[in-house]
Amino acid sequence: MSLLVVGLSHRSAPVSVLERASLSVDAQFKLLQDTVAAEPAAEAAVLATCNRIELYADVDKFHAGVAELSTLLAQHSGVGLDELTPYLYVHYEDRAVHHFFSVACGLDSMVVGEGQILGQIKDALARAQELHTAGRLLNDLFQQALRVGKRAHSETGIDRAGQSLVTFGLEQLAAGGDVTAWARGRTALVIGAGSMSSLAAATLARAGVAEIVVANRTLDRAERLAQILTEADGTDVSARAVPMESVPAELTRADVAVSCTGATGLVLTAEAVAAAVEDRTGAPVAFAEQGAPAGVRPLPPTSVGTDENCPLDLAAVQQQAAVQQPGFSVLGEAAVAGMDAATLEQHAAWVDNAGVDRRPSARRSPETDAELITALAALAATVGRIPERRRPEPVAAPVRPEPVLFLLDLAMPRDVDAAAHRLSGVRLVDIESLAEASADAPMAADVDQVRRIVADEVAAFGAAQRAAHITPTVVALRTMAADVVAGEIARLDGRLPGLDDKHRAEITQTVKRVVDKLLHAPTVRVKQLAAEPGGAGYADALRTLFDLDPETVAAVSRAEESTEKNAENRGPA
């Protein structure tokens, strides 16, 4: 059996795909059950966070395992397999271990070095243990990943390479300023009472907000979080709980709102956000940069395509150019690229105040293209309607009013309508904008040290797993040898019935010592060889050479796994 991981993350898929592929807790449970019921997989665990969905399994066939795990991910996420496949990545055996340890250390996180992933890995293991889908391999893998992640944070400064997603999000809300100064005295609304929302509430409390209102579908959980915040040492924050129905009213009072729920639909629509801002300011809220994608500045006004009845549909060209090159005017060749001669002739006639004949018979033949384009160029040079290509003029970004409501959406799928990005008086930071902001984040020198830790731990884990793989075979060999000794001693008793106990015990010990000495060097050496890369075949060789019963070896493995499960049941993971 071998470790296989199939998944997608913010590194392989756009946020829109991650959002659609997100798995609820119930969907994760069903995915685990269906995975272990599938033929190639014996164990399974799901790691589902706001920016990754990964399915880990112990499989006996690589290609069949990839096909089955990919299909199951598509079925349970609701995204078609054809659409999902281009965004999936696959890691196998040591590469899968290396990937998982990197994830545990925060090297693969959206914000490098964030430590929240360790809690998410622990939750994933707990779910797999609850359903009994995690066997020996995945238990060892997840437990070791937790130790590797803790080691990386304790032995290096990886924490300085990045912050938790919550802290990074708050820094974006504060426009890169000091979060404590920005948050001091504000009122915060926290929607949701799960681990991410609790972390956000605690971070806001430490930052110095004056009041935190917690809203959750289960009011008891909201009340429990509010009580924890109120009783926490080192903060002087007032906290209270409200039902979800109170969110619209509380939003009119809040300065900042953080949302992270498991809802499948929007929790805050753009209309609800606009209504809250209007209630605070007493003025209607307009959509800034109407029709432009978030983060794209509008085009400067030009004479191209701005007059009525122009036969060239340059609006589409302008919009496309704005997306591809923000701040660029639609000028020169960019305006006429790809347009046929007949269309250009219509434009020339329109410029010259002539009539435009749009009948098919009026189309010109290809032979006249060169003359027509030359004539159009001369006309354009005279009247200046399509000026020559030139460097873009500086474009002043539109001035937006200072925000009165700050929104941090950490949910996947999103809780806050993306249209709120364009509301004046609102600053929204969500998973997509966080991904863009962190794309060019500098890497700390400590990251290299963490990578070395990961490489060492992967090698150690692989050696331990290979050694553990041969252990049942060695135990079965020694069991067989003990049975041979016992049989020979019984045979000796039949031949020498008058042998006294003292001499019988001495003979028994002598035979056992001989057998142990004969087996010692081979078993020690085979464990060493099996721990090396490519050493998995030594167990098979040992079984063949000594004609060991495969069922005996399997029985030893089952006994060891049963002992490990009993130990896990006696204490926390």
Side-chain angles (χ1 to χ4, degrees), residues 299-571:
L299 289 172
T302 73
S303 61
V304 181
T306 56
D307 296 341
E308 289 185 354
N309 302 319
C310 174
L312 296 187
D313 183 14
L314 294 184
V317 181
Q318 281 185 309
Q319 186 174 8
Q320 182 179 6
V323 174
Q324 295 174 346
Q325 294 178 303
F328 276 69
S329 300
V330 182
L331 303 173
E333 298 100 56
V336 298
M339 295 186 180
D340 64 341
T343 305
L344 290 173
E345 183 185 24
Q346 293 178 31
H347 184 269
W350 171 75
V351 169
D352 205 11
N353 295 318
V356 177
D357 188 354
R358 292 184 173 84
R359 293 174 300 170
S361 59
R363 298 272 179 190
R364 300 293 294 265
S365 63
E367 288 76 10
T368 61
D369 284 0
E371 295 179 7
L372 184 59
I373 293 175
T374 301
L376 175 63
L379 181 63
T382 303
V383 300
R385 302 299 293 187
I386 304 181
E388 294 179 356
R389 190 180 184 88
R390 64 176 185 268
R391 296 178 61 85
E393 299 175 357
V395 179
V399 178
R400 294 186 62 169
E402 285 297 316
V404 296
L405 179 61
F406 298 83
L407 302 175
L408 177 58
D409 182 5
L410 299 173
M412 184 64 69
R414 73 184 76 217
D415 280 347
V416 182
D417 191 344
H421 275 292
R422 296 189 289 109
L423 289 173
S424 60
V426 174
R427 180 175 295 160
L428 168 61
V429 172
D430 54 19
I431 294 296
E432 190 165 10
S433 54
L434 282 174
E436 294 172 358
S438 63
D440 299 323
M443 301 291 284
D446 298 282
V447 170
D448 289 335
Q449 186 177 351
V450 173
R451 286 174 175 156
R452 288 192 292 271
I453 289 175
V454 168
D456 292 343
E457 291 286 355
V458 169
F461 182 82
Q465 288 298 308
R466 288 187 290 269
H469 178 69
I470 203 170
T471 297
T473 303
V474 172
V475 171
L477 173 60
R478 289 191 172 276
T479 300
M480 185 191 75
D483 291 341
V484 171
V485 171
E488 290 301 316
I489 294 301
R491 185 180 173 203
L492 182 64
D493 286 341
R495 289 188 174 187
L496 302 174
L499 191 66
D500 61 80
D501 292 343
K502 180 180 178 181
H503 289 90
R504 183 180 182 279
E506 185 64 33
I507 293 171
T508 301
Q509 284 298 109
T510 299
V511 175
K512 285 183 176 180
R513 280 196 297 270
V514 170
V515 172
D516 285 344
K517 286 183 178 181
L518 287 173
L519 291 180
H520 176 73
T523 54
V524 170
R525 185 59 180 149
V526 80
K527 286 183 178 180
Q528 293 172 343
L529 292 171
E532 297 176 359
Y538 285 101
D540 295 333
L542 206 61
R543 287 193 294 270
T544 301
L545 288 172
F546 287 92
D547 195 23
L548 297 177
D549 182 7
E551 181 55 34
T552 302
V553 178
V556 174
S557 298
R558 288 194 295 268
E560 290 182 352
E561 291 179 1
S562 177
T563 301
E564 291 173 358
K565 286 183 179 179
N566 290 335
E568 290 167 6
N569 292 334
R570 288 194 296 269

Side-chain angles (χ1 to χ4, degrees), residues 49-320:
T49 72
C50 59
N51 53 24
R52 78 177 60 253
I53 304 161
E54 295 178 341
L55 179 55
Y56 291 78
D58 186 10
V59 300
D60 59 359
K61 298 175 183 176
F62 173 72
H63 293 290
V66 172
E68 189 67 35
L69 267 59
S70 301
T71 301
L72 288 170
L73 273 175
Q75 288 176 351
H76 289 272
S77 68
V79 179
L81 182 59
D82 291 343
E83 183 179 359
L84 192 64
T85 298
Y87 305 111
L88 292 177
Y89 47 77
V90 175
H91 298 293
Y92 191 55
E93 294 187 329
D94 285 353
R95 289 301 306 169
V97 177
H98 188 281
H99 169 76
F100 191 41
F101 286 1
S102 298
V103 169
C105 292
L107 292 180
D108 199 58
S109 295
M110 186 179 294
V111 181
V112 174
E114 62 95 9
Q116 189 179 3
I117 187 66
L118 291 175
Q120 294 164 333
I121 290 174
K122 189 173 182 179
D123 291 342
L125 176 58
R127 280 192 293 271
Q129 289 175 337
E130 181 181 347
L131 287 180
H132 305 291
T133 63
R136 180 175 188 169
L137 175 61
L138 292 187
N139 270 298
D140 289 350
L141 176 70
F142 275 66
Q143 296 283 8
Q144 187 66 17
L146 291 171
R147 287 190 286 269
V148 174
K150 291 174 183 177
R151 180 187 169 194
H153 284 279
S154 63
E155 295 183 12
T156 75
I158 188 67
D159 293 331
R160 295 193 298 269
Q163 317 91 327
S164 73
L165 207 58
V166 171
T167 305
F168 190 62
L170 293 178
E171 286 189 355
Q172 295 303 304
L173 285 182
D178 180 61
V179 172
T180 302
W182 167 80
R184 186 176 296 114
R186 294 185 184 272
T187 296
L189 171 63
V190 176
I191 306 174
S195 58
M196 182 75 82
S197 298
S198 299
L199 177 61
T203 304
L204 286 167
R206 289 193 299 270
V209 295
E211 182 185 15
I212 296 178
V213 180
V214 182
N216 193 59
R217 297 192 186 282
T218 305
L219 187 57
D220 289 346
R221 295 189 65 183
E223 291 174 341
R224 188 157 57 247
L225 177 55
Q227 182 179 1
I228 292 172
L229 294 170
T230 303
E231 298 174 353
D233 296 331
T235 63
D236 187 22
V237 64
S238 170
R240 57 188 176 88
V242 298
M244 286 293 287
E245 296 76 26
S246 300
V247 165
E250 295 295 340
L251 197 61
T252 63
R253 300 179 56 254
D255 301 301
V256 54
V258 180
S259 187
C260 186
T261 72
T264 55
L266 293 176
V267 174
L268 294 177
T269 63
E271 291 75 12
V273 174
V277 175
E278 289 180 6
D279 188 82
R280 292 180 63 120
T281 62
V285 177
F287 277 85
E289 304 173 23
Q290 184 75 33
V296 176
R297 290 178 295 173
L299 289 172
T302 73
S303 61
V304 181
T306 56
D307 296 341
E308 289 185 354
N309 302 319
C310 174
L312 296 187
D313 183 14
L314 294 184
V317 181
Q318 281 185 309
Q319 186 174 8
Q320 182 179 6

